Each structure stands twice: as C-alpha cells, then as structure tokens.
Amino acid sequence: MSTFLIMVMSPNPVLKGVAVFYVWFFRGTPLLVQMFIIYFGTPYLFGIDLFPNDVHLGFLSLRGSVLAGIVALSINEGAYMSEIVRAGVLSVEPGQTEAAKSLGMTYGLTMRRIVLPQALRVIIPPLGNEFNNMLKTTSLMAVISVTELFRVAQGVYAVTFKPFEVFLGVAVYYLALTTIWTLIQGMIERRLGASTTRSEAAPSLRQRLLGISSPRLGGGGTR
C-alpha cells in the first residue's frame, strides 16, 4: 500500500501511471470477479498453477484457494487503502511541509514527524471502516471453494433444510466480529483523537454500530 501511495504521488509519469491503473482497475471491478481472475485465470496467463492444492510457507501450510483468496482481498483492499492514506496526507496543510524543508528536514523525516501524525486523524476512521468491510467480504471466498463460515453454513443447510436458522447463525457470527472491531476502532480513534475535536462529543456505541453520527459530526458510515 505504501509503495503504491509513493507511486501515485510520484512526479515520474511511468510510476504514477502504473499506480493509477492499479487503483482504477481494482476499485472499478467487483471483488468476486477479481477472485475468479486470480484463482482460475492466472494459470492460463502464466502457464503454471500459482495456487496448487497445498502451499507450504515455512511452518505454515495453506490450501491454494485460501492463498488466492488472501491475495485477492489484499490487492483489492490495497487499492482502497492507498487512496485513503493519500487523502489523509493531502489533508495536511502544504505550508507545514514547506516549513519543515526550510528547517532542513528530509522528506522521510518530514513525513514521520510532521505529516503522518496529523494525517492519522483523517486516515484512521475510513481505514477502520475498510477493515470492517473486509471482515464481511471474506464470505465471498466460498465461491473458490474456501471452507469458511458461509460455505460451512451451506453444508449444514444442505443437511438440515433449515435456511433461516442456519444463515441467521452466520449473521450473528459476523455481527459479533464487526461489533468487536467497532469497539477496538473506537478505542483507537479516542486514543488518537481521530474522530472528534475537543469541543465535540464522541459518537456513542449505538451510533457506531448503526453507522450514524450526531448532527454536529455529520453523517457517515461504511460503504
């Protein structure tokens, strides 16, 4: 993500073009299609199976479909997150960067000590929402034969013929995961002061879970 952020903001037209194409393609096509392209299409593109049945990564062993799903989710979310981070960096007043340069700070030092600490206030809320969204989109990995929660539920439904009870249970599991992350995100935002200013009240747990904000904070929610 950081590499593509640097490329997007690079004055080099080639690097910037590659990064812009990456963001354009992976934000503009469905994640489900991307999973199919990566898992089923890459063997035809490269002539070898990049995701065999068993993939050994040191002490970790994964099924090829699981690794393909992880790659697809990572690439897809990277496109969104690179734009979020870019927007956060651009939200910092350019004059502060110029002031840092006049003091003799290098670009890296300016980013670490001046730009990024302020950009985090803008970056953290949407970044947390993207993570929350990715928790739910892992269910799409069922289409490439990954044995995840939704695929297990389909197997149970095929035996019990009780769709309401089975898929309601799936919904409860996902609600539990997203609720836990909502609480963690709230703590991170309060720690960094990312969601509010000192004169505003922080959103309540109910507002976070329902994706609403107080009138003073303005509306918002996950996509």
Side-chain angles (χ1 to χ4, degrees), residues 108-124:
L109 189 60
T110 301
M111 291 294 290
R112 289 196 305 271
R113 293 192 177 181
I114 305 297
V115 177
L116 290 180
Q118 298 179 76
L120 280 176
R121 292 169 58 88
V122 178
I123 293 170
I124 290 298

Side-chain angles (χ1 to χ4, degrees), residues 140-151:
L140 293 177
M141 294 171 69
V143 300
I144 56 174
S145 304
V146 174
T147 307
E148 48 75 60
L149 184 59
F150 183 72
R151 188 172 178 84

Side-chain angles (χ1 to χ4, degrees), residues 8-214:
V8 167
M9 302 180 70
S10 171
N12 188 309
V14 176
L15 293 179
K16 187 171 184 177
V18 171
V20 168
F21 176 81
Y22 161 77
V23 173
W24 168 74
F25 181 82
F26 286 99
R27 288 182 66 194
T29 56
L31 175 58
L32 186 61
V33 175
Q34 294 167 21
M35 283 188 179
F36 270 80
I37 291 174
I38 290 173
Y39 186 54
F40 297 110
T42 50
Y44 294 95
L45 180 64
F46 297 106
I48 58 172
D49 189 0
L50 298 179
F51 307 103
N53 290 332
D54 293 308
V55 179
H56 300 284
L57 303 173
F59 63 91
L60 184 63
S61 180
L62 294 174
R63 289 184 58 193
S65 57
V66 175
L67 182 60
I70 293 172
V71 170
L73 285 169
S74 301
I75 294 175
N76 178 269
E77 288 299 322
Y80 285 96
M81 290 187 176
S82 64
E83 285 296 283
I84 290 171
V85 175
R86 183 178 70 88
V89 170
L90 293 178
S91 70
V92 178
E93 178 62 37
Q96 299 194 36
T97 303
E98 295 299 324
K101 288 181 180 178
S102 67
L103 293 174
M105 287 188 176
T106 63
Y107 177 78
L109 189 60
T110 301
M111 291 294 290
R112 289 196 305 271
R113 293 192 177 181
I114 305 297
V115 177
L116 290 180
Q118 298 179 76
L120 280 176
R121 292 169 58 88
V122 178
I123 293 170
I124 290 298
L127 206 63
N129 290 342
E130 278 299 319
F131 182 83
N132 188 54
N133 184 68
M134 188 172 64
L135 279 176
K136 296 176 288 185
T137 54
T138 53
S139 61
L140 293 177
M141 294 171 69
V143 300
I144 56 174
S145 304
V146 174
T147 307
E148 48 75 60
L149 184 59
F150 183 72
R151 188 172 178 84
V152 171
Q154 286 180 310
V156 175
Y157 161 61
V159 175
T160 62
F161 298 100
K162 295 181 178 179
F164 181 80
E165 292 90 340
V166 171
F167 294 114
L168 179 62
V170 173
V172 170
Y173 272 106
Y174 278 113
L175 278 172
L177 290 173
T178 55
T179 300
I180 292 171
W181 172 248
T182 298
L183 296 173
I184 295 173
Q185 181 182 347
M187 289 189 291
I188 294 173
E189 290 182 11
R190 284 193 297 271
R191 177 75 174 178
L192 296 175
S195 60
T196 61
T197 62
R198 294 181 179 178
S199 61
E200 296 173 331
S204 65
L205 176 60
R206 180 183 66 84
Q207 291 170 333
R208 289 185 179 279
L209 293 179
L210 297 179
I212 60 177
S213 302
S214 63

